Amino acid sequence: MKLQEYTSTDGCSPFADWFNDLDAPAAAKIATALIRVEQGNFSNAKGVGAGVLEYRVDFGAGYRIYFGKDGERLVILLAGGTKKRQQRDIEAAQARWEDYKQRKKHRGGK
């Protein structure tokens, strides 16, 4: 799988912004989870609606990675968060996924 970060129209990556604020132990756990996703291991992922998946990282604050799958080989990283902010993070990820699909469609993608 190829991982790619969602970027807003102004070029910002909400996932990178979140990841860069993590402490070292949490960042290491998230990096390990991303390697698993890259290898196609979605065992800790479940759908949360509107085509968005949530990958649970059982560590610390209960970290979450939100992403969408674009075809068979591409994963778009939409957001990250914790159990405490889960509903808000899911809603933000769903909005970003919709934006990603709309912008792709207007660029001539599927």
Side-chain angles (χ1 to χ4, degrees):
M1 303 295 292
K2 179 181 181 213
L3 303 184
Q4 179 178 313
E5 292 174 15
Y6 164 87
T7 53
S8 58
T9 53
D10 62 2
C12 293
S13 166
F15 182 84
D17 291 344
W18 170 77
F19 184 83
N20 291 335
D21 282 342
L22 295 173
D23 62 21
K29 293 287 188 182
I30 299 301
T32 299
L34 293 175
I35 291 168
R36 289 188 179 125
V37 169
E38 207 167 27
Q39 293 171 341
N41 180 346
F42 296 100
S43 61
N44 281 357
K46 66 175 184 173
V48 292
V52 173
L53 293 109
E54 173 189 79
Y55 189 103
R56 257 191 8 240
V57 179
D58 294 324
F59 175 78
Y63 293 100
R64 308 290 194 258
I65 301 168
Y66 298 97
F67 63 93
K69 287 178 72 178
D70 186 349
E72 294 296 313
R73 304 286 312 144
L74 182 60
V75 169
I76 306 299
L77 300 172
L78 302 166
T82 60
K83 176 73 176 156
K84 188 175 182 180
R85 295 179 34 97
Q86 189 173 21
Q87 195 53 47
R88 277 183 291 175
D89 293 334
I90 288 171
E91 290 166 6
Q94 289 170 337
R96 290 174 189 140
W97 183 237
E98 188 56 37
D99 177 61
Y100 170 83
K101 292 188 299 183
Q102 289 300 317
R103 290 183 2 211
K104 180 179 176 183
K105 189 163 77 173
H106 291 296
R107 287 191 310 261
K110 292 181 184 177

